[in-house]
Amino acid sequence: MAEMTDFELKLATLICEILNLEDVTPTDIDPEQPLFDGGLDLDSIDALEIAVAIAQEYDVHLKAEDEQTKEIFATLRNLANHIERERGTQTA
Amino acid sequence: MAELLPLLTRDLDGIIAIRHDRQISCREFLVQVATLADALPAASVAVNLCDDRYLFMVAFAAAILRDQANILLPSRQPAAVKEALEALADASILHDGEFAGLGEAGVDVRAFGESSNSDCGPVPAIPADQLCAVVFTSGSTGDSTRIEKHWKTLVEGTSINARLALHGIDVATGVVATVPPWHMYGLEYTVLLPLFNDVRVYAGNTLFPGDILNALKRTPVDRILVSTPLHLRAIARSGLSFPPVTRVLCATAPLSQELAQEVSNLLQTDICEFYGCSEAGCLASRDPVTTNEWRFFAEFSIDRSKERVCINASHLRETVTLADQIEFLEDGRFLLQGRGADIVKIGGKRGSIAELTDRLLALNGVVDAVIFRPESDVERETRLTALVVCPQRDIKEIRRDFARSIDPVFVPRPMRAVDALPRNRTGKLRNADLQRLTDSDTLRDE
């Protein structure tokens, strides 16, 4: 399993909390494994919950319409990188 | 001669859709529909897997022109789609990229949605009794019931829906939706409504609040937002500011008065909430800001003589028995008392707890199990909870096996291993005991 950065762990904790994933601990999530379709088996209701939590927590607004959103949501790592990049451009 | 009803009844120069910032006229739409219809392989039905709302609409109409009923699968999970396609012989498959690689039966609709040729012929007429769409109830297992929609039912149902949805709006209207076009509610208000009214539909995928904001900004006419409590809750919590909306339509689950008020303020809008089912379409409405009482549409006749309420209408082929318990008030107003204890609705899909429990019990290593719906506030999509006695197997394996055979929205969360279920002497389980066990710390070590 790939190692997790501090921010990835924080994000994993947020996801487990809002999705009520009681039998998954944040450290169980492999940052490079798919979140949807296998892996954690999340669905579009979860995607909506995650998007709202990320908006509230990090003021980053995801759009399903963007071509790269599928890519962003593919893994915890991609999602974490995207949020950090967006926050970087906000403060820059 | 058989009765014919046109595919579309509106000014052909009007705009029917906004896709990739392009306004598409009814003429262009009709040309694209005719071209695609000509290109479809011979088949008895058409599986419409398009994701883009406009391309879905082109595919929907083209299939009808070829007398191929649109099969609208309840789940777009790749495994579920594959299974359904294997079970269907003699079907053409219309997709817009997501399900590419389907072999010769697959037609990529994207290539047909770009033409700006507006030289359409006369509007096609469709036999009123032609089977045009097949939708499915219960998404919980593969054994869902198929519901057939004939052209007359769709056309007349749309006219009933338009009366309320467009009441008081006499200008061109833009529809932005957060619901998929392949569920009955989305089909009615985002695919059929634009065929018979001066309505242009936004084609893009509008799942997240950021998408909805973007779509509203790109729909510069009177706007209607077709949505659900789940999405409206996400909008209200997003922290984004939205342009005003003329009307919000809401269905699939009850909208609380608090959230209705919040959305009404945020979008400076009125809200029309619908109650319906896949069998009959929308059949009652209310203004959730001011009342919790529903009123049936005048076109439906209500039979209260049986245990379950039955409804009928001239455009429906069969009497429909409602799954919900209804408490009647004066003047035909009523309150919804929720579904029978067995039926749950999650993510707009209906599932049977009994059916799901049977599937769970059938899994290898499951000695005893129960699935129930925990008590919770209304707006949050309440997932099911499961308690499983499985001394020989890891609960995570059980969860994985179970998830393979059912729609993911019905996978219980949490799903916990316990030593035994709190059955009383008659073997029954009470919700309160189950909740207490779920909340307690006396769970079997995992």
Side-chain angles (χ1 to χ4, degrees), chain A residues 11-68:
Chain A
L11 191 59
T13 310
L14 178 72
I15 290 174
C16 287
E17 197 181 290
I18 56 159
L19 299 186
N20 200 16
L21 296 178
E22 295 192 4
D23 49 356
V24 180
T25 53
T27 47
D28 283 346
I29 301 178
D30 184 334
E32 292 179 353
Q33 282 300 304
L35 290 171
F36 298 80
D37 302 330
L40 286 185
D41 261 332
L42 304 184
D43 57 35
S44 66
I45 302 175
D46 296 320
L48 187 59
E49 290 287 345
I50 294 173
V52 171
I54 288 171
Q56 289 182 324
E57 193 74 22
Y58 304 111
D59 198 24
V60 169
H61 297 276
L62 296 159
K63 294 195 185 85
E65 237 178 348
D66 291 348
E67 286 295 324
Q68 71 273 30

Side-chain angles (χ1 to χ4, degrees), chain A residues 18-23 28 37 41-49 51-52 55-56 61-66 69-70 73, chain B residues 98 202 204-205 207-208 210-211 214 230-231 233-234 237-238 240 346-347 380-381 383 396 399 403 408-409 413-416:
Chain A
I18 56 159
L19 299 186
N20 200 16
L21 296 178
E22 295 192 4
D23 49 356
D28 283 346
D37 302 330
D41 261 332
L42 304 184
D43 57 35
S44 66
I45 302 175
D46 296 320
L48 187 59
E49 290 287 345
V52 171
Q56 289 182 324
H61 297 276
L62 296 159
K63 294 195 185 85
E65 237 178 348
D66 291 348
T69 298
K70 240 187 194 138
F73 261 102
Chain B
E98 195 72 359
Y202 183 82
N205 191 348
L207 176 64
F208 301 138
D211 297 315
N214 186 38
L230 183 71
H231 294 98
R233 178 169 163 269
R237 292 190 306 158
S238 69
L240 295 170
I346 304 174
R380 196 176 162 90
E381 285 279 338
R383 303 271 183 173
K396 287 180 187 166
R399 170 198 251 277
V409 296
R413 200 183 282 168
M415 186 160 177
R416 291 194 169 169

Side-chain angles (χ1 to χ4, degrees), chain B residues 119-263:
Chain B
D119 190 13
C120 64
V123 175
I126 314 297
D129 61 358
Q130 182 180 318
L131 177 63
C132 289
V134 179
V135 295
F136 297 84
T137 55
S138 176
S140 64
T141 68
D143 318 318
S144 43
T145 320
R146 59 182 265 145
I147 302 163
E148 300 190 335
K149 299 285 176 183
H150 297 81
W151 188 235
K152 180 186 166 83
T153 301
L154 295 177
V155 172
E156 293 184 5
T158 305
S159 135
I160 295 169
N161 292 335
R163 190 166 43 79
L164 260 116
L166 302 175
H167 175 74
I169 303 175
D170 52 7
V171 291
T173 307
V175 162
V176 170
T178 66
V179 293
W182 58 86
H183 286 167
M184 199 53 205
Y185 170 46
L187 185 72
E188 286 187 290
Y189 289 93
T190 73
V191 177
L192 294 165
L193 196 69
L195 294 177
F196 308 106
N197 299 278
D198 191 359
V199 163
R200 62 196 69 182
V201 71
Y202 183 82
N205 191 348
T206 42
L207 176 64
F208 301 138
D211 297 315
I212 299 165
L213 173 59
N214 186 38
L216 290 173
K217 281 182 177 165
R218 285 158 193 251
T219 311
V221 282
D222 274 36
R223 307 176 187 97
I224 289 183
L225 178 63
V226 180
S227 196
T228 73
L230 183 71
H231 294 98
L232 294 176
R233 178 169 163 269
I235 289 174
R237 292 190 306 158
S238 69
L240 295 170
S241 36
F242 291 83
V245 168
T246 310
R247 183 163 296 148
V248 169
L249 309 183
C250 185
T252 67
L255 181 66
S256 72
Q257 198 157 6
E258 293 73 33
L259 182 57
Q261 187 65 63
E262 211 177 320
V263 170

Side-chain angles (χ1 to χ4, degrees), chain B residues 17-335:
Chain B
I18 302 172
R19 179 164 184 261
H20 300 163
D21 279 335
R22 197 166 88 76
Q23 313 250 342
I24 300 166
S25 74
C26 293
R27 289 183 195 282
E28 290 167 317
F29 168 72
L30 288 174
V31 172
Q32 293 173 15
V33 168
T35 316
L36 176 60
D38 285 343
L40 291 185
S44 56
V45 293
V47 184
N48 189 341
L49 294 174
C50 292
D51 201 38
D52 178 287
R53 202 174 297 279
Y54 174 68
L55 296 181
F56 180 95
M57 204 166 160
V58 173
F60 185 81
I64 291 175
L65 285 200
R66 287 291 299 274
D67 195 7
Q68 298 180 12
N70 283 265
I71 304 289
L72 306 179
L73 300 177
S75 170
R76 290 286 175 97
Q77 287 294 113
V81 170
K82 191 164 170 278
E83 194 181 321
L85 291 180
E86 281 164 5
L88 276 168
D90 192 25
S92 57
I93 301 159
L94 294 93
H95 66 90
D96 55 6
E98 195 72 359
F99 292 91
L102 294 166
E104 280 176 25
V107 178
D108 189 338
V109 179
R110 283 176 298 184
F112 296 86
E114 301 298 334
S115 159
S116 56
N117 180 353
S118 58
D119 190 13
C120 64
V123 175
I126 314 297
D129 61 358
Q130 182 180 318
L131 177 63
C132 289
V134 179
V135 295
F136 297 84
T137 55
S138 176
S140 64
T141 68
D143 318 318
S144 43
T145 320
R146 59 182 265 145
I147 302 163
E148 300 190 335
K149 299 285 176 183
H150 297 81
W151 188 235
K152 180 186 166 83
T153 301
L154 295 177
V155 172
E156 293 184 5
T158 305
S159 135
I160 295 169
N161 292 335
R163 190 166 43 79
L164 260 116
L166 302 175
H167 175 74
I169 303 175
D170 52 7
V171 291
T173 307
V175 162
V176 170
T178 66
V179 293
W182 58 86
H183 286 167
M184 199 53 205
Y185 170 46
L187 185 72
E188 286 187 290
Y189 289 93
T190 73
V191 177
L192 294 165
L193 196 69
L195 294 177
F196 308 106
N197 299 278
D198 191 359
V199 163
R200 62 196 69 182
V201 71
Y202 183 82
N205 191 348
T206 42
L207 176 64
F208 301 138
D211 297 315
I212 299 165
L213 173 59
N214 186 38
L216 290 173
K217 281 182 177 165
R218 285 158 193 251
T219 311
V221 282
D222 274 36
R223 307 176 187 97
I224 289 183
L225 178 63
V226 180
S227 196
T228 73
L230 183 71
H231 294 98
L232 294 176
R233 178 169 163 269
I235 289 174
R237 292 190 306 158
S238 69
L240 295 170
S241 36
F242 291 83
V245 168
T246 310
R247 183 163 296 148
V248 169
L249 309 183
C250 185
T252 67
L255 181 66
S256 72
Q257 198 157 6
E258 293 73 33
L259 182 57
Q261 187 65 63
E262 211 177 320
V263 170
S264 169
N265 294 342
L266 182 68
L267 303 179
Q268 300 168 48
T269 186
D270 64 62
I271 304 179
C272 187
E273 189 181 4
F274 296 117
Y275 163 63
C277 57
S278 303
E279 292 86 345
C282 287
L283 45 94
S285 69
R286 68 177 175 182
D287 171 0
V289 175
T290 60
T291 182
N292 58 350
E293 297 171 0
W294 298 91
R295 202 177 274 281
F296 282 109
F297 296 168
E299 290 80 359
F300 290 89
S301 59
I302 316 300
D303 178 0
R304 298 163 54 173
S305 65
K306 302 197 182 65
E307 194 192 335
R308 291 247 179 252
V309 175
C310 294
I311 56 146
N312 231 316
S314 66
H315 67 290
L316 296 180
R317 293 197 157 198
E318 288 168 3
T319 301
V320 174
T321 305
L322 299 181
D324 298 87
Q325 317 261 15
I326 282 174
E327 179 189 341
F328 283 94
L329 309 167
E330 288 167 23
D331 332 318
R333 290 168 296 120
F334 68 93
L335 297 173

